[in-house]
Amino acid sequence: MKRYLTMLLVSLFTWIETVTADDTQHLSIAVGDWPPYFDQEAPDQGIVAQLLRDVFAEEGFTVSYHFLPWKRAYYEAAMGKHDATAVWMHAEEREQDFTFSDPVLKERFVVFHLKDQPVSWSRVEDLSDLRLGGSIGYSYGSAFDQAVEDDLLSIEWVASTVLNFRRLLFDRIDAFPEEINVGYHILRRELDPEEASRITHHPRPLLENESFVLFPKTRPDTVQLAERFNDRLQAFRDSGRYDHYFKNPQYSLQPRQGQ
């Protein structure tokens, strides 16, 4: 009888450990450093990072973010090294590697330039006379990307947005595109006020689009994971919780007066 009770207790503890392990599932998400949305230096790792973490938490997942260069984040995730990568705009060729989530973020890309060197444009081709900067791994929309591929635009690629701002200040480039909230957040964080005050943006959007979490098709649970994420994200929207993340005053997402 004693031996039977011992075996029963061992079986019970084994079952409890198994259930606990199953209930605490972990996800690896590859991202690029893109403050304020994904910010390697911030305690919460950025607005969208916290949003995704909370959405997945309510589905029983913990999340760790792996900050990588954008191209590496994409390819590592495509090979199945990570459970997802975020966030990316839609491109047809990406559908070969990934299942797209529902839209997570609305973005507005604009052209940044010096205030004393205004830029005038209405079509992408109008930017052909400018020395443009760009961030490695970025897409600025199909029209811009096609113009680059057709050699209609002169663009030099560097590793980060802050480098493009510094090249702008040192007259290495005339302008460069960036998502408006990302641009102004980095301006305030990385440049001194005098430098930041010299930079502005053209009011015409270069691109307005939605971005998504990408789930690699190489992983067997991708479809189910994407469906669970989408259902929970919609619940956040329906309850109003989604909007709360983008109203946090610490991020100051709108350009300040004079910028």
Side-chain angles (χ1 to χ4, degrees):
M1 183 67 177
K2 184 176 180 181
R3 181 181 178 186
Y4 172 78
L5 288 175
T6 301
M7 293 176 62
L8 182 62
L9 286 172
V10 170
S11 298
L12 178 60
F13 287 134
T14 301
W15 177 80
I16 291 172
E17 289 174 357
T18 302
V19 170
T20 302
D22 289 342
D23 286 347
T24 310
Q25 301 177 74
H26 186 75
L27 298 177
S28 168
I29 302 180
V31 299
D33 194 43
W34 203 42
Y37 301 128
F38 291 96
D39 188 347
Q40 196 167 7
E41 298 181 9
D44 62 2
Q45 297 179 298
I47 302 171
V48 177
Q50 187 61 55
L51 169 64
L52 301 187
R53 185 184 294 113
D54 292 346
V55 170
F56 280 119
E58 296 205 1
E59 286 295 315
F61 297 97
T62 60
V63 169
S64 63
Y65 291 104
H66 297 266
F67 284 83
L68 302 167
W70 283 102
K71 284 189 175 181
R72 183 178 166 192
Y74 183 96
Y75 288 114
E76 283 195 6
M79 291 186 295
K81 187 173 180 179
H82 305 280
D83 299 284
T85 180
V87 287
W88 299 84
M89 67 179 65
H90 180 267
E92 187 174 346
E93 62 271 17
R94 292 174 181 164
E95 293 182 353
Q96 300 174 15
D97 298 318
F98 294 98
T99 295
F100 280 68
S101 73
D102 289 341
V104 170
L105 176 68
K106 289 186 177 181
E107 303 168 353
R108 180 160 66 104
F109 282 82
V110 295
V111 176
F112 283 89
H113 60 88
L114 296 178
K115 289 180 179 178
D116 61 2
Q117 297 180 21
V119 169
S120 177
W121 73 281
S122 59
R123 302 182 306 160
V124 169
E125 291 79 4
D126 297 334
L127 302 172
S128 60
D129 293 333
L130 300 177
R131 298 168 300 164
L132 298 173
S135 296
I136 296 170
Y138 271 43
S139 169
Y140 300 109
S142 57
F144 189 96
D145 294 348
Q146 188 62 52
V148 172
E149 188 174 331
D150 293 341
D151 292 325
L152 298 178
L153 300 178
S154 174
I155 185 166
E156 294 184 11
W157 302 93
V158 295
S160 69
T161 298
V162 68
L163 282 177
N164 276 314
F165 277 129
R166 297 201 182 283
R167 293 168 75 229
L168 193 62
L169 289 166
F170 284 96
D171 196 33
R172 303 286 179 83
I173 56 175
D174 301 312
F176 79 96
E178 181 56 274
E179 205 278 332
I180 188 168
N181 293 323
V182 172
Y184 280 104
H185 186 84
I186 292 176
L187 266 182
R188 294 168 192 149
R189 190 181 75 177
E190 302 293 342
L191 277 66
D192 65 45
E194 188 279 328
E195 290 175 324
S197 68
R198 295 174 55 197
I199 297 173
T200 189
H201 71 278
H202 191 281
R204 181 186 300 279
L206 176 67
L207 173 69
E208 292 181 298
N209 73 289
E210 297 174 318
S211 286
F212 309 83
V213 177
L214 305 188
F215 298 90
K217 291 183 175 180
T218 50
R219 299 183 72 92
D221 56 349
T222 277
V223 173
Q224 294 85 351
L225 185 60
E227 288 175 351
R228 291 175 66 178
F229 174 81
N230 289 339
D231 289 345
R232 187 64 64 174
L233 178 64
Q234 187 59 50
F236 270 54
R237 291 185 186 277
D238 293 342
S239 68
R241 290 178 65 186
Y242 173 90
D243 295 329
H244 172 75
Y245 292 85
F246 300 92
K247 293 178 180 177
N248 190 330
Q250 70 171 301
Y251 294 109
S252 300
L253 294 181
Q254 295 304 315
R256 294 173 182 163
Q257 188 174 6
Q259 286 187 323

